[in-house]
Coordinates of all heavy atoms in Angstrom, one line a residue:
L825 N 84.0 100.3 96.7 CA 85.1 101.2 97.0 C 84.6 102.2 98.0 O 85.3 102.6 98.9 CB 85.6 101.9 95.7 CG 86.7 102.9 95.9 CD1 87.9 102.3 96.6 CD2 87.1 103.5 94.5
L829 N 86.4 103.0 101.5 CA 87.0 104.3 101.9 C 86.3 104.9 103.1 O 87.0 105.6 103.9 CB 86.8 105.3 100.7 CG 87.7 104.9 99.5 CD1 87.4 105.9 98.3 CD2 89.1 104.9 99.8
C847 N 93.0 111.9 95.6 CA 93.6 110.7 95.1 C 92.8 110.1 93.9 O 91.6 110.3 93.7 CB 93.6 109.6 96.2 SG 94.8 110.0 97.5
S848 N 93.5 109.3 93.1 CA 92.9 108.5 92.1 C 93.1 107.0 92.7 O 93.9 106.8 93.6 CB 93.5 108.6 90.8 OG 94.9 108.4 90.8
F849 N 92.3 106.1 92.1 CA 92.3 104.8 92.6 C 92.4 103.7 91.5 O 91.8 104.0 90.4 CB 91.0 104.5 93.4 CG 90.8 105.5 94.5 CD1 90.0 106.7 94.3 CD2 91.3 105.3 95.8 CE1 89.9 107.6 95.4 CE2 91.2 106.2 96.8 CZ 90.4 107.3 96.6
L850 N 93.1 102.7 91.8 CA 93.1 101.5 90.9 C 92.5 100.4 91.6 O 92.9 100.1 92.8 CB 94.6 101.2 90.5 CG 95.4 102.2 89.7 CD1 96.8 101.6 89.5 CD2 94.8 102.5 88.4
I851 N 91.7 99.6 90.9 CA 91.1 98.4 91.5 C 91.6 97.2 90.7 O 91.3 97.1 89.5 CB 89.5 98.4 91.5 CG1 89.0 99.7 92.1 CG2 89.0 97.2 92.1 CD1 89.3 99.9 93.5
D852 N 92.4 96.4 91.3 CA 93.0 95.3 90.6 C 93.7 95.7 89.3 O 93.6 95.1 88.3 CB 92.0 94.2 90.4 CG 91.4 93.7 91.7 OD1 92.2 93.6 92.7 OD2 90.3 93.3 91.8
G853 N 94.3 96.9 89.4 CA 95.1 97.4 88.2 C 94.3 98.2 87.3 O 94.9 98.8 86.3
D854 N 93.0 98.3 87.4 CA 92.1 99.1 86.5 C 91.8 100.5 87.2 O 91.3 100.5 88.3 CB 90.8 98.3 86.2 CG 91.1 97.1 85.4 OD1 92.0 97.1 84.6 OD2 90.4 96.1 85.7
P855 N 91.9 101.6 86.4 CA 91.6 102.9 87.0 C 90.1 103.0 87.2 O 89.3 102.6 86.4 CB 92.1 103.9 85.9 CG 92.5 103.1 84.7 CD 92.5 101.6 85.1
V856 N 89.7 103.7 88.3 CA 88.3 103.9 88.7 C 87.8 105.1 87.8 O 86.7 105.1 87.4 CB 88.2 104.3 90.2 CG1 86.8 104.8 90.5 CG2 88.5 103.0 91.0
G857 N 88.7 106.1 87.6 CA 88.3 107.2 86.8 C 87.2 108.0 87.5 O 87.2 108.2 88.7
S858 N 86.2 108.4 86.7 CA 85.1 109.3 87.2 C 83.9 108.5 87.7 O 82.9 109.1 88.1 CB 84.7 110.3 86.2 OG 84.2 109.6 85.0
R859 N 84.0 107.2 87.7 CA 82.9 106.3 88.2 C 82.6 106.6 89.7 O 83.5 106.9 90.5 CB 83.2 104.8 88.1 CG 83.2 104.4 86.6 CD 83.4 102.9 86.6 NE 84.9 102.6 86.9 CZ 85.3 101.4 87.3 NH1 84.5 100.4 87.4 NH2 86.6 101.3 87.5
G860 N 81.3 106.6 90.0 CA 81.0 106.8 91.4 C 81.5 105.6 92.3 O 81.4 104.5 91.9
H861 N 82.1 106.0 93.4 CA 82.8 104.9 94.2 C 81.8 103.9 94.7 O 82.1 102.8 95.0 CB 83.5 105.6 95.4 CG 84.7 106.4 94.9 ND1 85.3 107.3 95.8 CD2 85.3 106.6 93.7 CE1 86.3 107.9 95.1 NE2 86.3 107.5 93.8
E862 N 80.5 104.3 94.9 CA 79.5 103.3 95.3 C 79.2 102.3 94.2 O 78.6 101.3 94.5 CB 78.2 104.1 95.8 CG 77.5 104.8 94.7 CD 78.1 106.1 94.2 OE1 79.0 106.6 94.9 OE2 77.6 106.7 93.2
T863 N 79.6 102.6 93.0 CA 79.3 101.6 91.9 C 80.4 100.7 91.6 O 80.3 99.8 90.8 CB 78.9 102.4 90.6 OG1 80.1 103.1 90.1 CG2 77.8 103.4 90.8
V864 N 81.6 100.9 92.2 CA 82.8 100.2 92.0 C 82.8 99.0 92.9 O 83.1 99.1 94.1 CB 84.1 101.0 92.1 CG1 85.3 100.2 91.9 CG2 84.0 102.2 91.2
L866 N 84.2 95.6 94.7 CA 85.5 95.0 95.1 C 85.4 93.5 95.1 O 84.4 92.9 95.4 CB 85.9 95.5 96.5 CG 86.0 97.0 96.6 CD1 86.4 97.4 98.0 CD2 87.0 97.6 95.6
V872 N 93.1 97.5 96.2 CA 92.8 98.9 96.0 C 94.1 99.7 96.1 O 94.7 99.7 97.2 CB 91.8 99.4 97.0 CG1 91.5 100.9 96.7 CG2 90.5 98.6 96.9
E873 N 94.5 100.4 95.1 CA 95.7 101.2 95.1 C 95.2 102.7 95.3 O 94.4 103.2 94.5 CB 96.5 101.1 93.8 CG 96.9 99.7 93.4 CD 98.1 99.2 94.1 OE1 98.8 100.0 94.8 OE2 98.4 98.0 94.0

Side-chain angles (χ1 to χ4, degrees):
L825 178 58
L829 293 177
C847 289
S848 57
F849 303 93
L850 297 177
I851 307 299
D852 299 326
D854 294 323
V856 170
S858 62
R859 291 183 286 163
H861 295 169
E862 67 283 350
T863 68
V864 179
L866 300 178
V872 176
E873 307 277 350

